[in-house]
Coordinates of all heavy atoms in Angstrom, one line a residue:
I1361 N 186.5 150.4 98.2 CA 186.9 151.8 98.4 C 186.1 152.4 99.5 O 184.9 152.4 99.5 CB 186.7 152.7 97.1 CG1 187.6 152.1 96.0 CG2 187.0 154.1 97.3 CD1 187.4 152.9 94.7
L1362 N 186.8 152.9 100.6 CA 186.1 153.4 101.7 C 185.7 154.9 101.6 O 186.5 155.6 100.9 CB 187.0 153.2 103.0 CG 187.5 151.8 103.2 CD1 188.4 151.8 104.4 CD2 186.4 150.8 103.3
N1363 N 184.7 155.3 102.2 CA 184.3 156.7 102.2 C 184.4 157.4 100.8 O 185.2 158.3 100.5 CB 185.1 157.5 103.2 CG 184.6 158.9 103.5 OD1 183.4 159.2 103.3 ND2 185.5 159.8 104.0
V1364 N 183.5 156.9 99.9 CA 183.6 157.3 98.5 C 183.3 158.8 98.4 O 182.4 159.4 99.0 CB 182.6 156.5 97.7 CG1 182.4 157.1 96.3 CG2 182.9 155.0 97.6
T1365 N 184.1 159.5 97.5 CA 183.9 160.9 97.2 C 183.7 161.0 95.7 O 183.8 160.1 94.9 CB 185.1 161.7 97.6 OG1 186.2 161.4 96.8 CG2 185.4 161.5 99.1
Y1366 N 183.3 162.2 95.2 CA 183.1 162.4 93.8 C 184.4 162.3 93.0 O 184.4 162.0 91.8 CB 182.5 163.8 93.6 CG 181.0 163.9 94.0 CD1 180.7 164.7 95.0 CD2 180.0 163.2 93.3 CE1 179.3 164.8 95.4 CE2 178.7 163.3 93.7 CZ 178.4 164.1 94.8 OH 177.0 164.2 95.1
E1367 N 185.5 162.4 93.7 CA 186.8 162.3 93.0 C 187.1 160.8 92.6 O 188.0 160.6 91.8 CB 187.9 162.8 93.9 CG 187.9 164.3 94.1 CD 189.1 164.7 95.0 OE1 189.8 163.8 95.5 OE2 189.2 165.9 95.2
H1368 N 186.3 159.9 93.2 CA 186.5 158.5 92.9 C 185.7 158.0 91.7 O 185.9 156.9 91.2 CB 186.1 157.6 94.1 CG 187.0 157.8 95.3 ND1 186.5 157.9 96.6 CD2 188.4 158.0 95.4 CE1 187.5 158.1 97.4 NE2 188.7 158.1 96.7
A1369 N 185.0 158.9 91.1 CA 184.2 158.6 89.9 C 185.2 158.6 88.7 O 186.1 159.5 88.6 CB 183.1 159.6 89.6
G1370 N 185.0 157.6 87.8 CA 185.9 157.6 86.6 C 186.0 156.2 86.1 O 185.2 155.3 86.3
E1371 N 187.1 156.0 85.4 CA 187.4 154.7 84.8 C 188.5 153.9 85.5 O 189.6 154.5 85.7 CB 187.8 154.9 83.3 CG 188.0 153.6 82.5 CD 188.4 153.9 81.0 OE1 188.4 155.1 80.7 OE2 188.6 153.0 80.3
Y1372 N 188.2 152.7 85.9 CA 189.2 151.8 86.6 C 189.6 150.7 85.6 O 188.8 150.1 85.0 CB 188.6 151.3 87.9 CG 188.4 152.3 89.0 CD1 187.2 153.1 88.9 CD2 189.3 152.4 90.0 CE1 187.0 154.0 89.9 CE2 189.1 153.4 91.0 CZ 187.9 154.1 91.0 OH 187.7 155.1 92.0
L1373 N 190.9 150.5 85.6 CA 191.5 149.4 84.8 C 192.1 148.4 85.8 O 193.0 148.7 86.5 CB 192.5 149.9 83.8 CG 193.2 148.8 83.0 CD1 192.2 148.1 82.1 CD2 194.4 149.4 82.2
C1374 N 191.6 147.2 85.7 CA 192.1 146.1 86.6 C 192.9 145.1 85.7 O 192.4 144.6 84.7 CB 190.9 145.3 87.2 SG 191.2 143.7 87.8
T1375 N 194.1 144.9 86.0 CA 195.0 144.0 85.2 C 195.4 142.9 86.1 O 195.8 143.0 87.2 CB 196.3 144.8 84.7 OG1 197.1 145.1 85.8 CG2 195.9 146.1 84.0
V1376 N 195.4 141.7 85.5 CA 195.8 140.4 86.1 C 196.9 139.8 85.3 O 196.7 139.5 84.1 CB 194.7 139.4 86.3 CG1 195.2 138.2 87.0 CG2 193.5 140.1 87.1
N1377 N 198.1 139.7 85.8 CA 199.3 139.2 85.2 C 199.5 137.8 85.7 O 200.0 137.7 86.9 CB 200.5 140.1 85.3 CG 201.6 139.7 84.4 OD1 202.0 138.6 84.2 ND2 202.2 140.8 83.7
R1378 N 199.2 136.8 85.0 CA 199.3 135.4 85.5 C 200.4 134.6 84.7 O 200.4 134.6 83.5 CB 198.0 134.7 85.4 CG 198.0 133.2 85.8 CD 196.6 132.6 85.7 NE 195.8 133.1 86.8 CZ 194.7 133.9 86.6 NH1 194.3 134.2 85.4 NH2 194.0 134.3 87.6
T1379 N 201.2 133.9 85.4 CA 202.3 133.0 84.9 C 201.9 131.6 85.1 O 201.8 131.2 86.3 CB 203.7 133.3 85.4 OG1 204.0 134.7 85.2 CG2 204.7 132.5 84.8
L1380 N 201.7 130.8 84.1 CA 201.4 129.4 84.1 C 202.6 128.6 84.2 O 203.5 128.8 83.3 CB 200.5 129.0 83.0 CG 199.2 129.8 82.8 CD1 198.4 129.4 81.6 CD2 198.3 129.6 84.0
N1381 N 202.7 127.6 85.1 CA 203.9 126.8 85.3 C 203.5 125.3 84.9 O 202.8 124.7 85.6 CB 204.3 126.8 86.7 CG 205.6 126.0 86.9 OD1 206.1 125.3 86.1 ND2 206.2 126.2 88.1
F1382 N 204.1 124.9 83.8 CA 203.9 123.5 83.3 C 205.0 122.6 83.7 O 206.0 122.4 82.9 CB 203.7 123.5 81.8 CG 202.4 124.3 81.3 CD1 202.5 125.6 81.0 CD2 201.2 123.7 81.3 CE1 201.4 126.3 80.6 CE2 200.1 124.4 80.9 CZ 200.2 125.7 80.5
G1383 N 205.0 122.2 84.9 CA 206.0 121.2 85.4 C 207.4 121.8 85.4 O 208.4 121.0 85.3
D1384 N 207.6 123.0 85.7 CA 208.9 123.7 85.7 C 209.7 123.5 84.4 O 210.9 123.7 84.4 CB 209.7 123.2 86.9 CG 209.1 123.6 88.3 OD1 208.5 124.6 88.3 OD2 209.2 122.8 89.2
V1385 N 209.0 123.2 83.4 CA 209.6 123.1 82.1 C 209.3 124.2 81.1 O 210.1 124.7 80.4 CB 209.2 121.7 81.4 CG1 209.9 121.6 80.0 CG2 209.7 120.5 82.3
F1386 N 208.0 124.6 81.2 CA 207.5 125.6 80.2 C 206.6 126.6 81.0 O 205.8 126.2 81.9 CB 206.7 125.0 79.1 CG 206.0 126.0 78.2 CD1 206.8 126.7 77.3 CD2 204.6 126.2 78.2 CE1 206.2 127.7 76.5 CE2 204.1 127.1 77.4 CZ 204.8 127.8 76.5
F1387 N 206.9 127.9 80.8 CA 206.1 128.9 81.5 C 205.4 129.8 80.4 O 206.0 130.1 79.4 CB 207.1 129.8 82.3 CG 207.7 129.1 83.4 CD1 209.0 128.4 83.2 CD2 207.2 129.0 84.7 CE1 209.6 127.7 84.2 CE2 207.8 128.3 85.7 CZ 209.0 127.7 85.5
H1388 N 204.2 130.1 80.7 CA 203.4 130.9 79.8 C 202.7 132.1 80.6 O 202.1 131.9 81.6 CB 202.3 130.1 79.1 CG 201.5 130.8 78.2 ND1 201.9 131.4 77.0 CD2 200.1 131.1 78.2 CE1 201.0 132.0 76.4 NE2 199.9 131.9 77.1
N1389 N 202.9 133.3 80.0 CA 202.4 134.5 80.7 C 201.1 134.9 80.0 O 201.0 134.9 78.8 CB 203.4 135.6 80.6 CG 202.9 136.8 81.4 OD1 202.4 137.8 80.8 ND2 203.0 136.8 82.7
V1390 N 200.1 135.2 80.8 CA 198.7 135.7 80.4 C 198.4 137.0 81.0 O 198.5 137.1 82.3 CB 197.7 134.6 80.7 CG1 196.3 135.1 80.2 CG2 198.0 133.3 80.0
L1391 N 198.0 138.0 80.3 CA 197.7 139.3 80.8 C 196.2 139.5 80.5 O 195.8 139.5 79.3 CB 198.5 140.4 80.2 CG 198.2 141.8 80.7 CD1 198.5 141.9 82.2 CD2 199.0 142.8 79.9
V1392 N 195.4 139.8 81.5 CA 194.0 140.1 81.4 C 193.7 141.5 81.9 O 194.1 141.9 83.0 CB 193.1 139.1 82.2 CG1 191.7 139.4 82.1 CG2 193.4 137.7 81.7
N1393 N 193.0 142.3 81.1 CA 192.6 143.6 81.4 C 191.1 143.7 81.5 O 190.4 143.2 80.6 CB 193.1 144.6 80.4 CG 194.6 144.7 80.4 OD1 195.3 144.5 81.4 ND2 195.2 145.0 79.2
K1394 N 190.6 144.4 82.5 CA 189.1 144.6 82.6 C 188.9 146.1 83.0 O 189.6 146.6 84.0 CB 188.5 143.7 83.7 CG 188.5 142.2 83.2 CD 187.7 141.4 84.2 CE 187.6 139.9 83.6 NZ 186.6 139.1 84.4
T1395 N 187.9 146.7 82.4 CA 187.7 148.1 82.6 C 186.3 148.2 83.3 O 185.3 147.6 82.9 CB 187.6 148.9 81.3 OG1 188.9 148.7 80.7 CG2 187.4 150.4 81.6
I1396 N 186.3 149.0 84.4 CA 185.0 149.3 85.1 C 184.8 150.8 85.2 O 185.7 151.5 85.6 CB 185.1 148.7 86.5 CG1 185.4 147.2 86.5 CG2 183.8 149.0 87.2 CD1 186.8 146.8 86.8
H1397 N 183.6 151.3 84.7 CA 183.3 152.7 84.8 C 182.4 152.9 86.0 O 181.3 152.4 86.1 CB 182.5 153.1 83.5 CG 183.3 153.0 82.2 ND1 184.2 154.0 81.8 CD2 183.5 152.0 81.3 CE1 184.8 153.6 80.7 NE2 184.4 152.4 80.4
V1398 N 182.9 153.7 86.9 CA 182.2 154.0 88.2 C 181.7 155.4 88.2 O 182.4 156.4 87.9 CB 183.2 153.8 89.4 CG1 182.5 154.1 90.7 CG2 183.7 152.3 89.4
T1399 N 180.4 155.5 88.6 CA 179.8 156.8 88.9 C 179.5 156.9 90.3 O 179.3 155.9 91.0 CB 178.5 157.0 88.0 OG1 177.6 155.9 88.4 CG2 178.8 156.9 86.5
V1400 N 179.4 158.2 90.8 CA 179.1 158.4 92.2 C 177.8 159.3 92.3 O 177.7 160.3 91.7 CB 180.3 159.2 92.9 CG1 179.9 159.5 94.4 CG2 181.6 158.4 92.9
V1401 N 176.9 158.8 93.1 CA 175.6 159.5 93.3 C 175.4 159.8 94.7 O 176.0 159.2 95.6 CB 174.4 158.5 92.8 CG1 174.6 158.3 91.3 CG2 174.4 157.2 93.6
P1402 N 174.6 160.9 95.0 CA 174.4 161.3 96.4 C 173.6 160.4 97.2 O 173.7 160.3 98.4 CB 173.8 162.7 96.2 CG 173.1 162.7 94.9 CD 174.0 161.8 94.0
K1403 N 172.7 159.6 96.6 CA 171.8 158.7 97.3 C 171.6 157.5 96.4 O 171.6 157.6 95.2 CB 170.5 159.4 97.6 CG 169.6 158.6 98.5 CD 168.4 159.4 98.9 CE 167.5 159.9 97.8 NZ 166.3 160.6 98.3
A1404 N 171.5 156.3 97.1 CA 171.4 155.1 96.3 C 170.1 155.0 95.5 O 169.0 155.5 96.0 CB 171.4 153.9 97.3
N1405 N 170.2 154.6 94.3 CA 169.0 154.4 93.4 C 168.6 152.9 93.4 O 169.5 152.1 93.3 CB 169.3 154.9 92.0 CG 169.6 156.4 92.0 OD1 168.9 157.2 92.7 ND2 170.6 156.8 91.2
R1406 N 167.3 152.7 93.5 CA 166.8 151.3 93.4 C 166.9 150.9 92.0 O 166.4 151.6 91.1 CB 165.4 151.2 94.0 CG 165.3 151.6 95.4 CD 163.9 151.4 95.9 NE 163.5 150.0 95.7 CZ 162.2 149.6 96.0 NH1 161.3 150.5 96.4 NH2 161.9 148.4 95.8
D1407 N 167.4 149.6 91.8 CA 167.4 149.1 90.4 C 166.1 148.6 90.0 O 165.2 148.3 90.8 CB 168.5 148.0 90.3 CG 168.3 146.9 91.3 OD1 167.4 147.0 92.1 OD2 169.0 145.9 91.1
M1408 N 165.9 148.4 88.7 CA 164.6 148.0 88.2 C 164.2 146.6 88.7 O 163.0 146.3 88.9 CB 164.6 148.0 86.6 CG 163.3 147.7 86.0 SD 162.0 148.8 86.4 CE 162.6 150.3 85.7
A1409 N 165.2 145.7 88.9 CA 164.9 144.4 89.3 C 164.2 144.4 90.7 O 163.2 143.6 90.9 CB 166.1 143.5 89.4
S1410 N 164.7 145.2 91.6 CA 164.1 145.2 93.0 C 162.7 145.8 92.9 O 161.8 145.4 93.6 CB 165.0 146.0 93.9 OG 165.1 147.4 93.5
I1411 N 162.5 146.8 92.1 CA 161.2 147.4 91.9 C 160.2 146.4 91.4 O 159.0 146.2 91.9 CB 161.2 148.7 91.0 CG1 162.1 149.7 91.7 CG2 159.8 149.2 90.8 CD1 162.3 151.0 90.8
V1412 N 160.5 145.7 90.3 CA 159.7 144.7 89.7 C 159.4 143.6 90.8 O 158.2 143.1 90.9 CB 160.3 144.1 88.5 CG1 159.5 142.9 87.9 CG2 160.4 145.2 87.4
S1413 N 160.4 143.2 91.5 CA 160.2 142.1 92.5 C 159.2 142.5 93.6 O 158.4 141.7 94.0 CB 161.6 141.8 93.1 OG 162.5 141.3 92.2
E1414 N 159.3 143.8 94.0 CA 158.4 144.2 95.0 C 157.0 144.3 94.5 O 156.0 143.9 95.2 CB 158.8 145.6 95.6 CG 158.0 146.1 96.7 CD 158.6 147.4 97.3 OE1 159.7 147.8 96.9 OE2 157.9 148.0 98.1
I1415 N 156.8 144.8 93.3 CA 155.5 144.9 92.7 C 154.9 143.5 92.5 O 153.7 143.2 92.9 CB 155.5 145.6 91.3 CG1 155.9 147.0 91.4 CG2 154.2 145.4 90.5 CD1 156.1 147.8 90.1
M1416 N 155.7 142.5 92.1 CA 155.2 141.1 91.9 C 154.8 140.5 93.2 O 153.9 139.7 93.3 CB 156.3 140.3 91.2 CG 156.5 140.6 89.8 SD 155.0 140.5 88.8 CE 154.7 138.7 88.9

Side-chain angles (χ1 to χ4, degrees):
I1361 298 181
L1362 309 178
N1363 193 20
V1364 172
T1365 67
Y1366 287 115
E1367 294 182 355
H1368 295 138
E1371 183 179 358
Y1372 290 81
L1373 177 64
C1374 161
T1375 68
V1376 180
N1377 194 313
R1378 177 176 290 113
T1379 301
L1380 304 175
N1381 183 350
F1382 296 92
D1384 292 329
V1385 176
F1386 175 71
F1387 298 88
H1388 179 65
N1389 184 260
V1390 178
L1391 180 62
V1392 177
N1393 296 327
K1394 293 192 175 185
T1395 303
I1396 303 103
H1397 297 273
V1398 175
T1399 59
V1400 178
V1401 296
K1403 187 169 63 174
N1405 297 319
R1406 296 183 60 187
D1407 58 352
M1408 185 59 65
S1410 64
I1411 297 176
V1412 173
S1413 298
E1414 185 173 351
I1415 293 175
M1416 292 301 297

